[in-house]
Amino acid sequence: MHDYPTILAIESSCDDTAAAVISNGKILSNIIASQQIHQIHGGVVPELASRAHEKNIISVVNEALIKANINKNQLNAVAFTQGPGLLGSLLVGCSFAKSLSMALNVPLIAVNHIEAHIFAHFIDDPKPNFPFLCLTVSGGHTQIVMVHSFDNLEIIGQTLDDAVGEAFDKTAKLLDLSYPGGPLIDKYAQNGNPKSFQFPIPDIADYNFSFSGIKTAFLYFLRNNCQKNPNFIQHNLANICASIQYTLVEILFRKMIKATKHYRVNQVAIAGGVAANSELRKRMIAFGIEQNIEIFIPKIEYCTDNAAMIAITAHYKYLNKVFSDKLVTSDPRLHLNYA
Ligand code: KG4
Ligand code: ZN
């Protein structure tokens, strides 16, 4: 065992092939190859994603090692995303990591993708202290998680249907924007008025969310307005984007405020791809100042899928001697670790 381990981490859960090298808890490289092929299909095509991972993985790993100035014989462990995600995509990273760990005779570390989004907060200073509350918002997940420790994550609330990232992407698709639509809605919203149009805020119990109703409301809103004015979208794009973005962030916020008050936490974090959203980031900062709560917002490159977050999670697993058996397999529906 090494007190200052050097670890190669691979992330291949969806449509980005990524690799990072971490040494003694410091990220030395963080490489990502995004798959453009899905743009023409308006969403991720699983079979195309796994084929692209196979094509990219060797060069992405090589680049990560070269950038970190690390020879593969210096690695003390190999980590990979076990799940959740697309099975074919996950299998590419899992098989590659297993083979490399066997060839180098070093431990293998399986990492949960959603836990890694949360533990991205441990890459840079200041780091949160346990326990803290984390709003995890991605293309597949919307959860409020009480993070008790590295191996004890309690889901306080979650979406009952679509994830908020999906709501961003689906509304963007109705506006004829390309995939993934979240960043484009964010971009066009910059020049719009968030109060131009109103959309319903669902009334869901506890700390849970629902985003399917707003998607339907948005579809009818566009249909009605486009019937009256065929150029409605073109003439109002910025205001439409600002209004839908405001509503989606408001839905997240109401539950977050409720959970923060009920659990009386003084540290709140956001994580996952939607944490890159400028409106959400802005409101989190204002919320922190207003409530005297410490807010943790990851750098943009650590919000969307990346291997640095897999590497930092693997670093703590290594220190706690949490290794995986060679028989470990990919799990598309992997759950959070809750003691
Ligand atoms: O975490 P992530 O990269 O992948 C998953 O694990 O799902 O999240 C991807 C999601 C997509 O739905 C994408 O549209 C959304 O994050 N996203 C954004 C922004 N950047 C990425 N949504 C809103 N505003 C953004 N700036
Ligand atoms: Zn993700």
Side-chain angles (χ1 to χ4, degrees):
M1 279 304 102
H2 297 258
D3 292 338
Y4 310 107
T6 302
I7 304 169
L8 168 74
I10 293 160
E11 151 64 33
S12 69
S13 64
C14 191
D15 59 341
D16 294 311
T17 319
V21 175
I22 190 167
S23 191
N24 190 20
K26 293 268 163 294
I27 299 294
L28 300 184
S29 62
N30 184 30
I31 306 297
I32 183 154
S34 297
Q35 303 178 359
Q36 305 305 332
I37 179 90
H38 307 289
Q39 267 188 5
I40 50 170
H41 297 282
V44 178
V45 184
E47 182 56 31
L48 296 179
S50 44
R51 281 189 224 167
H53 282 304
E54 282 189 328
K55 221 161 76 185
N56 293 341
I57 195 153
I58 292 177
S59 57
V60 168
V61 165
N62 263 335
E63 206 180 325
L65 290 169
I66 291 168
K67 179 98 189 286
N69 200 16
I70 290 287
N71 184 293
K72 59 182 185 304
N73 297 316
Q74 291 171 272
L75 295 174
N76 303 122
V78 180
F80 69 99
T81 303
Q82 185 187 6
L86 301 170
L87 181 59
S89 293
L90 290 166
L91 281 169
V92 176
C94 177
S95 327
F96 188 93
K98 266 191 203 179
S99 322
L100 189 59
S101 87
M102 276 193 250
L104 299 174
N105 200 21
V106 295
L108 180 67
I109 303 175
V111 172
N112 179 312
H113 180 87
I114 298 299
E115 291 181 12
H117 269 303
I118 297 171
F119 295 132
H121 285 286
F122 291 80
I123 295 175
D124 291 323
D125 287 325
K127 301 173 173 64
N129 295 311
F130 297 120
F132 64 94
L133 205 65
C134 187
L135 173 69
T136 313
V137 280
S138 73
H141 288 74
T142 305
Q143 296 177 330
I144 298 180
V145 180
M146 184 66 84
V147 189
H148 296 286
S149 69
F150 283 112
D151 55 6
N152 188 358
L153 297 96
E154 182 186 0
I155 300 172
I156 303 297
Q158 59 189 325
T159 182
L160 305 177
D161 40 59
D162 291 350
V164 64
E166 252 175 300
F168 267 103
D169 295 338
K170 286 180 180 171
T171 48
K173 200 168 183 174
L174 293 171
L175 293 170
D176 227 6
L177 302 177
S178 64
Y179 180 87
L184 292 172
I185 292 206
D186 194 349
K187 184 178 135 193
Y188 292 117
Q190 304 294 326
N191 302 318
N193 174 2
K195 300 280 162 69
S196 305
F197 305 106
Q198 283 199 336
F199 300 104
I201 304 270
D203 186 15
I204 308 293
D206 306 321
Y207 305 104
N208 295 323
F209 304 92
S210 167
F211 291 99
S212 62
I214 188 156
K215 192 186 60 195
T216 314
F218 190 70
L219 174 71
Y220 290 130
F221 160 81
L222 286 183
R223 196 178 284 173
N224 288 341
N225 282 289
C226 289
Q227 260 166 13
K228 287 182 231 152
N229 171 10
N231 296 320
F232 176 73
I233 294 177
Q234 244 173 314
H235 290 163
N236 296 281
L237 187 61
N239 285 341
I240 299 171
C241 288
S243 303
I244 194 72
Q245 171 172 279
Y246 174 83
T247 310
L248 293 174
V249 171
E250 179 67 19
I251 295 172
L252 295 174
F253 239 82
R254 288 193 185 181
K255 294 300 169 123
M256 262 271 306
I257 295 172
K258 190 174 165 187
T260 307
K261 290 198 171 138
H262 182 262
Y263 289 94
R264 296 175 186 216
V265 287
N266 54 13
Q267 293 186 96
V268 178
I270 51 172
V274 181
N277 183 264
S278 60
E279 172 77 10
L280 179 58
R281 294 169 87 88
K282 206 170 67 193
R283 288 197 61 186
M284 279 298 286
I285 293 167
F287 174 62
I289 295 168
E290 202 180 281
Q291 299 291 323
N292 199 18
I293 286 171
E294 205 177 345
I295 298 296
F296 295 87
I297 300 174
K299 277 188 195 161
I300 301 272
E301 68 257 43
Y302 298 146
C303 289
T304 44
D305 287 350
N306 65 90
M309 68 185 197
I310 307 299
I312 191 75
T313 310
H315 170 78
Y316 286 101
K317 280 186 180 266
Y318 187 102
L319 297 185
N320 291 322
K321 301 187 175 59
V322 182
F323 300 121
S324 301
D325 189 84
K326 300 280 188 276
L327 295 176
V328 65
T329 53
S330 304
D331 184 349
R333 296 182 175 276
L334 188 64
H335 292 294
L336 292 188
N337 232 327
Y338 179 44

